[in-house]
Amino acid sequence: MNLFVLLNVVVMLGLFYLLFNLQQKHVKFTRRVFMALGLGIGYGALLQWVYGSGSPVLSQSIEYFDIAGKGYVQLLKMIVVPLVMVSIISAILKLKDGQSLGKISALTIGVLLFTVAIAGLIGMGVAHLFGLSAEGLTEGAREAERAAALLAREGAAEQISIARTLVELIPANPFLDMTGARDTSIISVVIFSAFVGIAALGVHKKQPELADKFDSFMQVAYAIVMRIVTLVLRLTPYGVLALMTKVLAGSNFADILNLFNFVLASYLALALMFGVHLVLVAMAGGNPVTFVKKVLPVLSFAFTSRTSAGTIPLTVQTQTRQLGIPDGIANFAASFGATIGQNGCAGIYPAMLVVMIAPVVGIDPMSPMFIATVIATIVVGSFGVAGVGGGATFAALIVLTALDMPVALVGLLISIEPLIDMGRTALNVNGAITSGFITSRVLGQTDMSVYNGEQELELDLESVS
């Protein structure tokens, strides 16, 4: 470690100490998260200005920042599986009714698919409004390399089908899925947990004394897991600071400026879809302003971390403790929302690329029949994203391949991928939370006193010594 790298790390530690002091002074959790976000933006931009893109000093400094940034994301991923398992099993034990489980699943997935269809329409409309086109984009060496790699993966995208994806969701080896070995692992864990819960309900009818022991075990397991979740979530401001610093320090502003029109169009589409979420929340009886205030911390983390799956613990906590959504619905919404019907990655992004490419291959992107075909493909393809890696990139590959369009454009946008992916991830998470709220409202299970209350997440977090 040279002197400049050491200096950069010391400054980061100083910022961590500042956040720690704010925590000790009981500054609100939400405020600390946003202060961390601002500090990360400022420090990252300063490092970029001082050292420049591609600097060895900057690269080495980011490696040390990743201890806090990636380390926090890893801790969140560590608790995803146990959180999902104990929450869903406990929720089913409270339901005492298998039919309620079916209603929750159907409503949650239905809302996600409905919103991803709207997201697709918005993506197409905004791309057309901005006049975005695949013609004239400069192809550099890095972009060409990415495009070649994507072409090699095109065959895998062609093999994606809704039937095959549904089969992949079935857990052949639940213990393997508990390790997160497959891209469908989270949904598979949800399915296995549902089987355990339903089986426990059956034991209640035939061996109630034995079932009572299992209930007690689940209560203890739930308490312990939630305590672990609380401990990890207390580190959120530090993780946000490290992640945001890395994003700004590692960005190439020249590349961003070259494709600024696409970035601007992308964020307009994301903002419009976020507005749609708020309209749906209002239609379900929730105050949109209250909703925004309570989901901002989790959206901030999703924005900086770029991981929907890693945000699941925060997504669940926000729904249950801030919005009054029951544990079972919150976990189903968070789990399904991280893998199915992603509004940003599977909806807006592929739709914008389709509109950009269509004129190049002689298709009118605003033809009603073509729009209907694209939206149907996006909805079906959003299931396919759950069965493969690559997030938005593979979602785009699935849609473009299904429509018989060239996929090289996906590689040409590599320079701005991290920047727009931040917004897409935040929208994905907000879509999951929206689906949970609507589902709980339709089933009449939302505790509106919690939704309308002033309880802050930090009250739970500060209780951990």
Side-chain angles (χ1 to χ4, degrees), residues 27 30 62 65 70 72 91 118 192 194 205 242 290 297 335 392 424 434:
V27 175
T30 301
I62 288 175
F65 298 163
K70 285 187 176 179
Y72 176 62
I118 296 177
F192 176 70
K205 296 178 181 178
T290 301
S335 302
R424 291 192 307 240
T434 301

Side-chain angles (χ1 to χ4, degrees), residues 57-67 245-246 249-250:
V57 171
L58 199 55
S59 299
Q60 292 179 43
S61 299
I62 288 175
E63 287 183 8
Y64 286 97
F65 298 163
D66 276 342
I67 296 175
T245 300
K246 174 184 177 180

Side-chain angles (χ1 to χ4, degrees), residues 238-309:
Y238 308 99
V240 167
L241 170 58
L243 289 166
M244 199 67 221
T245 300
K246 174 184 177 180
V247 169
L248 265 294
S251 297
N252 189 321
F253 295 129
D255 289 340
I256 293 173
L257 289 175
N258 288 337
L259 294 170
F260 181 73
N261 212 30
F262 184 83
V263 174
L264 185 62
S266 296
Y267 272 90
L268 175 60
L270 294 171
L272 289 173
M273 191 60 211
F274 185 77
V276 171
H277 289 167
L278 296 183
V279 170
L280 294 175
V281 167
M283 291 174 64
N287 185 319
V289 176
T290 301
F291 183 87
V292 171
K293 287 180 179 178
K294 294 195 171 187
V295 302
L296 273 179
V298 65
L299 296 187
S300 298
F301 175 72
F303 184 82
T304 53
S305 67
R306 296 171 54 199
T307 167
S308 298

